């Protein structure tokens, strides 16, 4: 079964049962509802028959009823597919042409095996059609007859005269059809029919008979039968003369017949004119005008077919290029679909990672807020410690000043001890001199004898006193020296401590100043951290909104992925349809070439 007929049947099923029902049945029978069937594609008959049985089962009717119903409704689908074949004024005119159309289709579509619809006209309103088909779709044929009548608004009575199967498996059905409308338009000329006397078929004969009879009758009325030579000779002479004249006058009619034969043989390349000085010249002129119009129309048709062939060739190239482009688009869309899928996956992963990051950011933000409060508390403590540090620095300065005074007093004491040592040295010198003086006094007392004994005792006492004084001076010197060393050590230690204290005070002052600066900086940093914490909280809110947008974006990415995959499938279908379109264009070129060959039969 050729794809053209199958397409028409499927379109009819869509009109009868709807797109969804048709597609479901096609899928259940292993057909792809989106498949494009090309006109020249060959479909196995058993697949078509099984499909129609499935439609019949779905409609709860027999297969015979389904085929009749299909044939009845199929006429409208045929009309949409081949509207030019329906440009007839009656159902009879349409059916009388169908066998020739099928023969023409067989030439146009190699491998096509349409049924024969051989017409046999009984009269203007009665025709016997012999249906011959290997497939034996007789119920479908009878349904088509009903559909033809409905299309042309006529009632067609169909009577099956014979039904058989030939030895080669061909199903043959002879059906007598009675139409409401005929195809003949008969113009009656009763007088002309009367002149034929029922047997004359030539114009010259019809023209001669009546004048010959009238001439014989006139002579008979004038002379009776007394003059037989005249009665017989004149009519015979008139008959012969009329025959010769008729043959001469009507001889151009033979040229008309020959010219009509040329026209029936599609030969329009020669214009024939006659010169007879009678109305036959006008007849030939009209025939020549008709031939000129036919030549002009056929030339236009040939030119149109040439243009159509050139256009179909260009269109074929365009379709080929479109096929290549569609393949590129298909690959590109496939890559986009894969990229969209990958993007959706990456977006989903990014959303998951961003979700974790946002959770961490929220925790950091909370810690920042807590740290901000702790930092503010620490800054307050640092400020209080700085105040205490300033107070300690002030106290340390006071201690340093006291140490300075102690150092000065130690230095003054050391000087006074020096003065005491000087005095003691003087006393020691006096004691030595007193001792010398006592010694001299003792010597002098001894010289004085008894008189000097008392003075000697005094001198001895003075000497002892001098020695005691010297001993005391030595003791004092030792004590003063030890005291001086102690004082000096103390002064040195106090000096060292003073220097250390002074250095410590300087360090304390420096630390205090640095602490002041650090406290100011810490306060500034605390303020900055507070601002950063606020900004972090704000940015966290923004990121949360971004996260929500990312969720939306992920959903959009998934939708885009699905859309891209669907688009990829559509582009693949489009590419397939382009391929079918290219095949259809090639088939169109073959049809155009066939029509061009057919038009070459017209000799212009």
């Amino acid at each position: 079964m050729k794809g053209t007929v199958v397409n028409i049947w499927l379109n009819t099923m869509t009109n009868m049962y709807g797109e969804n029902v048709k597609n479901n049945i096609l899928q259940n029978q292993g057909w792809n509802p989106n498949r494009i069937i090309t006109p020249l594609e060959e479909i196995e008959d058993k697949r078509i028959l099984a499909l129609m049985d499935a439609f019949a089962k779905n409609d709860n009717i027999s297969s015979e009823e389904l085929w009749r119903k299909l044939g009845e409704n199929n006429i409208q689908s045929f009309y949409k597919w081949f509207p030019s074949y329906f440009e007839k004024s009656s159902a009879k005119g349409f059916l009388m042409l169908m066998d020739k159309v099928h023969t023409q289709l067989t030439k146009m579509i190699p491998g096509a095996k349409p049924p024969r619809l051989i017409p046999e006209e009984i009269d203007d309103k009665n025709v016997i059609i012999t249906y011959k088909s290997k497939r034996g779709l007789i119920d479908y044929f009878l349904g088509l007859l009903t559909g033809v009548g409905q299309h042309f608004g006529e009632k067609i009575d169909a009577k099956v005269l014979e039904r058989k199967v030939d030895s080669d498996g061909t199903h043959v059905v002879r059906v007598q059809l009675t139409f409401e409308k005929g195809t003949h338009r008969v113009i009656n000329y009763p007088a002309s029919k009367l002149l034929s006397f029922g047997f004359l078929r030539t114009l010259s004969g019809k023209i001669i008979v009546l004048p010959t009879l009238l001439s014989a009758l006139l002579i008979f009325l004038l002379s009776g039968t007394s003059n037989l030579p005249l009665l017989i000779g004149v009519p015979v002479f008139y008959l012969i003369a009329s025959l010769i004249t008729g043959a001469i006058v009507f001889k151009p009619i033979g040229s008309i017949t020959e010219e009509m034969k040329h026209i029936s043989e599609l030969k329009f390349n020669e214009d024939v004119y006659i010169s007879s000085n009678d109305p036959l010249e006008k007849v030939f002129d009209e025939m020549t005008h008709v031939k000129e119009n036919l030549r002009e129309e056929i030339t236009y048709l040939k030119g149109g077919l040439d243009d159509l062939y050139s256009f179909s060739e260009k269109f074929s190239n365009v379709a080929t290029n479109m096929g290549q482009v569609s393949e590129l688009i298909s690959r590109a869309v496939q890559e986009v679909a894969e990229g969209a899928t990958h993007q959706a996956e990456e977006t989903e992963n990014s959303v998951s990672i961003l979700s974790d990051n946002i959770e961490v950011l929220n925790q950091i933000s909370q810690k920042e807020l807590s740290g901000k409060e702790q930092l503010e508390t620490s800054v307050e403590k640092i400020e209080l410690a700085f105040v205490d540090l300033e107070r300690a620095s002030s106290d340390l300065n006071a201690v340093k000043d006291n140490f300075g005074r102690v150092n000065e007093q130690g230095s003054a004491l050391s000087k006074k001890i020096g003065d005491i040592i000087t005095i003691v040295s003087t006393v020691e010198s006096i004691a030595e001199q007193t001792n010398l003086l006592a010694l001299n006094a003792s010597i002098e007392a001894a010289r004085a004898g008894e008189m000097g004994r008392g003075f000697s005792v005094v001198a001895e006492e003075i000497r002892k006193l001098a020695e005691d004084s010297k001993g005391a001076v030595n003791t004092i010197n030792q004590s003063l020296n030890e005291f001086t060393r102690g004082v000096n050590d103390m002064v040195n230690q106090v000096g060292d401590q003073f220097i250390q204290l002074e250095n410590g005070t300087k360090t304390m002052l420096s630390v205090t100043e640095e602490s002041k600066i650090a406290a100011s900086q810490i306060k500034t940093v605390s303020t900055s951290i507070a601002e950063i914490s606020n900004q972090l909280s704000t940015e966290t809110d923004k990121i949360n909104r971004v996260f929500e947008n990312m969720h939306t974006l992920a959903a959009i990415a998934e939708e885009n992925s699905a859309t891209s995959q669907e688009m990829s499938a559509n582009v693949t279908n489009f590419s397939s349809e382009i391929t079918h379109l290219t095949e259809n264009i090639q088939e169109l070129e073959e049809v155009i070439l066939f029509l061009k060959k057919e038009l070459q039969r017209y000799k212009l």
Side-chain angles (χ1 to χ4, degrees):
M1 185 72 66
K2 286 297 177 183
T4 302
V5 177
V6 175
N7 273 325
I8 294 175
W9 285 355
L10 293 179
N11 289 335
T12 302
M13 289 302 179
T14 301
N15 296 332
M16 290 171 57
Y17 299 110
E19 188 75 24
N20 293 332
V21 173
K22 182 198 78 172
N23 289 342
N24 289 334
I25 295 176
L26 287 175
Q27 287 178 344
N28 293 334
Q29 292 298 312
W31 292 60
N32 181 6
N34 297 320
R35 175 188 173 193
I36 296 177
I37 302 174
T38 60
L40 299 182
E41 184 177 354
E42 190 70 36
I43 309 296
E44 294 181 4
D45 290 349
K46 62 181 181 180
R47 293 195 66 194
I48 299 297
L49 296 175
L51 183 63
M52 294 305 163
D53 290 341
F55 277 105
K57 184 177 181 181
N58 181 76
D59 199 17
N60 292 322
I61 58 177
S62 65
S63 296
E64 291 77 10
E65 289 176 306
L66 187 279
W67 280 109
R68 286 209 180 203
K69 193 174 181 180
L70 174 62
E72 183 178 341
N73 289 274
N74 216 28
I75 289 298
Q76 294 305 316
S77 297
F78 275 120
Y79 172 69
K80 293 178 181 179
W81 201 273
F82 304 108
S84 58
Y85 294 149
F86 289 81
E87 294 176 356
K88 307 296 177 184
S89 59
S90 64
K92 178 189 172 186
F94 172 79
L95 290 174
M96 293 292 287
L97 186 64
M98 279 300 97
D99 193 58
K100 293 182 179 179
V101 170
H102 283 176
T103 303
Q104 192 82 346
L105 289 175
T106 305
K107 294 179 181 179
M108 292 172 60
I109 306 177
K113 298 177 182 179
R116 294 294 306 276
L117 300 173
I118 304 171
E120 179 185 349
E121 188 174 21
I122 299 175
D123 55 38
D124 189 31
K125 293 187 177 180
N126 290 278
V127 175
I128 294 176
I129 290 184
T130 302
Y131 170 83
K132 294 183 177 182
S133 173
K134 288 280 189 180
R135 299 183 178 92
L137 302 178
I138 297 172
D139 294 292
Y140 174 66
F141 166 65
L142 296 176
L144 285 175
L145 294 177
T146 303
V148 168
Q150 293 174 352
H151 179 80
F152 287 95
E154 296 183 43
K155 181 181 178 182
I156 301 176
D157 292 329
K159 181 180 179 182
V160 178
L161 302 178
E162 183 183 7
R163 188 167 182 170
K164 65 179 182 177
V165 180
D166 289 342
S167 58
D168 61 351
T170 302
H171 294 260
V172 179
V173 177
R174 295 181 74 245
V175 181
Q176 180 175 342
L177 303 178
T178 301
F179 301 93
E180 290 184 357
K181 299 178 184 179
T183 57
H184 300 169
R185 188 169 73 92
V186 180
I187 300 176
N188 289 315
Y189 291 94
S192 180
K193 289 174 67 176
L194 182 64
L195 289 175
S196 68
F197 294 100
F199 65 92
L200 294 174
R201 294 294 179 184
T202 63
L203 292 175
S204 58
K206 293 173 71 174
I207 292 173
I208 291 170
V209 170
L210 184 59
T212 300
L213 293 175
L214 290 176
S215 65
L217 180 61
L218 180 61
I219 293 172
F220 177 77
L221 292 175
L222 292 176
S223 61
T225 58
S226 59
N227 192 354
L228 289 177
L230 180 64
L231 180 63
I232 297 173
V234 171
V236 171
F237 176 79
Y238 185 82
L239 178 64
I240 295 171
S242 297
L243 286 173
I244 295 172
T245 302
I248 294 172
V249 171
F250 291 108
K251 186 176 182 179
I253 291 179
S255 298
I256 293 176
T257 303
E258 184 178 359
E259 187 67 11
M260 294 302 295
K261 182 179 179 181
H262 288 165
I263 292 174
S264 66
E265 293 175 351
L266 308 179
K267 296 178 180 179
F268 303 99
N269 55 339
E270 183 181 14
D271 291 335
V272 178
Y273 296 91
I274 66 171
S275 178
S276 59
N277 293 327
D278 58 34
L280 292 177
E281 289 185 355
K282 186 175 181 181
V283 172
F284 270 87
D285 290 341
E286 289 297 326
M287 289 178 62
T288 301
H289 182 64
V290 169
K291 289 169 67 177
E292 288 176 354
N293 288 338
L294 287 174
R295 277 200 304 269
E296 182 179 349
E297 293 299 325
I298 293 172
T299 301
Y300 287 156
L301 182 59
K302 284 186 173 182
L305 284 176
D306 290 338
D307 291 339
L308 183 59
Y309 182 74
S310 299
F311 175 76
S312 66
E313 187 175 9
K314 293 178 182 179
F315 196 61
S316 178
N317 294 331
V318 172
T320 302
N321 294 333
M322 286 179 65
Q324 295 173 354
V325 171
S326 67
E327 290 179 1
L328 294 175
I329 293 174
S330 178
R331 287 196 294 269
V333 170
Q334 182 65 29
E335 291 175 358
V336 170
E338 292 175 357
T341 303
H342 180 68
Q343 180 187 9
E345 294 175 355
E346 290 297 324
T347 303
E348 191 65 30
N349 293 334
S350 298
V351 167
S352 177
I353 294 171
L354 184 60
S355 176
D356 295 338
N357 291 338
I358 288 175
E359 185 176 356
V360 173
L361 280 175
N362 286 328
Q363 294 175 359
I364 292 173
S365 178
Q366 293 297 326
K367 290 180 180 179
E368 284 286 340
L369 292 174
S370 176
K372 172 189 170 186
E373 296 175 355
Q374 294 177 358
L375 185 61
E376 289 176 348
T377 304
S378 298
V379 169
E380 292 177 358
K381 290 181 180 179
I382 287 172
E383 289 178 346
L384 294 174
F386 173 70
V387 173
D388 294 337
L389 186 61
E390 283 186 332
R391 187 180 300 112
S393 177
S394 177
D395 293 341
L396 191 59
N397 281 326
V399 171
K400 184 198 73 169
D401 293 339
N402 292 332
F403 262 99
R405 286 193 295 272
V406 169
N407 192 28
E408 290 175 356
Q409 290 176 358
S411 296
L413 181 61
S414 179
K415 289 179 180 180
K416 288 180 179 180
I417 291 171
D419 293 339
I420 292 171
I421 289 172
T422 301
I423 295 169
V424 170
S425 297
T426 302
V427 172
E428 183 181 9
S429 177
I430 293 172
E432 287 179 355
Q433 290 176 2
T434 303
N435 190 26
L436 289 174
L437 181 61
L439 182 59
N440 289 330
S442 295
I443 293 171
E444 290 298 325
R447 282 178 183 177
E450 193 66 31
M451 291 294 294
R453 185 176 293 184
F455 183 72
S456 176
V457 174
V458 172
E460 184 66 26
E461 293 295 330
I462 290 173
R463 186 182 61 82
K464 289 181 181 179
L465 179 63
E467 288 178 357
D468 292 337
S469 294
K470 187 178 179 180
V473 167
N474 288 331
T475 302
I476 290 171
N477 280 331
Q478 290 177 357
S479 298
L480 285 177
N481 286 329
E482 291 177 0
F483 182 72
T484 299
R485 285 194 299 270
V487 170
N488 287 332
D489 290 338
M490 183 193 71
V491 170
N492 291 331
Q493 290 176 1
V494 170
D496 292 338
Q497 293 297 322
F498 177 76
I499 291 170
Q500 292 178 358
L501 184 60
E502 188 174 21
N503 292 333
T505 304
K506 291 179 180 179
T507 302
M508 180 65 75
L509 290 174
S510 176
V511 169
T512 302
E513 191 65 27
E514 290 175 357
S515 296
K516 184 176 182 181
I517 296 171
S520 176
Q521 292 176 346
I522 288 173
K523 188 172 183 180
T524 302
V525 170
S526 174
T527 303
S528 299
I529 290 175
E531 293 176 355
I532 291 172
S533 179
N534 292 331
Q535 291 177 355
L536 180 61
S537 179
T538 303
E539 293 301 320
T540 301
D541 292 337
K542 292 181 180 178
I543 292 175
N544 279 324
R545 289 195 294 270
V546 171
F547 176 67
E548 294 175 359
N549 294 334
M550 284 288 288
H551 261 303
T552 304
L553 181 61
I556 294 173
E558 291 178 357
E559 184 177 353
N560 289 340
S561 175
T563 303
S564 298
Q565 291 176 351
E566 182 179 356
M567 184 180 294
S568 176
N570 291 336
V571 169
T572 302
N573 292 335
F574 175 74
S575 179
S576 176
E577 291 178 3
I578 289 293
T579 302
H580 291 306
L581 175 62
T582 305
E583 295 174 356
N584 291 336
I585 292 172
Q586 292 174 351
E587 294 169 3
L588 176 63
E589 289 179 349
E590 294 176 2
V591 172
I592 294 171
L593 287 173
F594 171 78
L595 292 176
K596 289 181 68 174
K597 290 179 181 178
E598 288 294 310
L599 287 176
Q600 287 175 358
R601 296 189 296 127
Y602 292 84
K603 307 300 181 182
L604 305 180

